[in-house]
Amino acid sequence: LLTTPGALPAAADTARVRASLADQLETLAANLETHLSGNHYLWNLLALVFAGAAHSGAAAERWLAFAPRLAAELDEQIFASGLHYERSPMYHALLLENVLDLVNADASASADASGSGGASAQGRLPAALAAKLRDVAARMLGALAVVTHPDGEIALLGDSALGIAQPPARLVA
């Protein structure tokens, strides 16, 4: 969104925001929350790979290099049923939103490349990770349906709360 023309008042602001984001991503890359594991670590990896997919250059390549770790962590944290292993519908929905964002960003990059005469059939993500993310998203959407009440809200299991994650219907859309 920050790259949208007019999103920031001046070019200097855009450059400053981009530099700040790059600094924060470099700090994150050097300080992954492996000691917390679970959703924290997965969010760290999703953020870095998303940034790598959304940008180009040496820094973006360093962030994309976290793709194998993201793939491994998805295998670790998302059960075959699609449910996140912490079994909190709220965390499940929050993580699903991030997975969907990455799937959509890669699909958008692919469409941009195809529309501009590029021969790429995919975005910047490695093909195996892009396929894994689509599979994980589909399984997570299926699991979300199981933990969604008839009123359309998530079940209040574990440390879930309403109003934190996107509503299930919005994630499905």
Side-chain angles (χ1 to χ4, degrees), residues 25 47-56 59-64 124-125:
L25 287 159
L48 289 166
V49 172
F50 188 95
H55 297 91
S56 59
E61 294 305 318
R62 283 193 305 277
W63 303 328
L64 270 178
R124 289 187 33 82
L125 293 180

Side-chain angles (χ1 to χ4, degrees), residues 6-101:
L8 296 172
D13 290 337
T14 301
R16 204 168 62 241
V17 168
R18 284 177 182 253
S20 175
L21 285 172
D23 286 346
Q24 291 174 56
L25 287 159
E26 290 297 332
T27 299
L28 177 61
N31 297 284
L32 293 172
E33 294 179 282
T34 56
H35 61 290
L36 294 175
S37 189
N39 61 58
H40 294 264
Y41 183 49
L42 187 52
W43 270 313
N44 292 173
L45 296 171
L46 283 162
L48 289 166
V49 172
F50 188 95
H55 297 91
S56 59
E61 294 305 318
R62 283 193 305 277
W63 303 328
L64 270 178
F66 284 91
R69 289 169 79 173
L70 173 58
E73 202 59 28
L74 288 167
D75 287 342
E76 176 77 21
Q77 291 196 32
I78 307 301
F79 294 139
S81 68
L83 189 64
H84 182 256
Y85 84 141
E86 289 188 35
R87 297 175 182 89
S88 163
M90 180 185 74
Y91 285 136
H92 179 90
L94 289 167
L95 287 164
L96 172 57
E97 181 179 8
N98 288 181
V99 169
L100 290 169
D101 284 345

Side-chain angles (χ1 to χ4, degrees), residues 127 133 147 155:
L133 287 164
V147 295

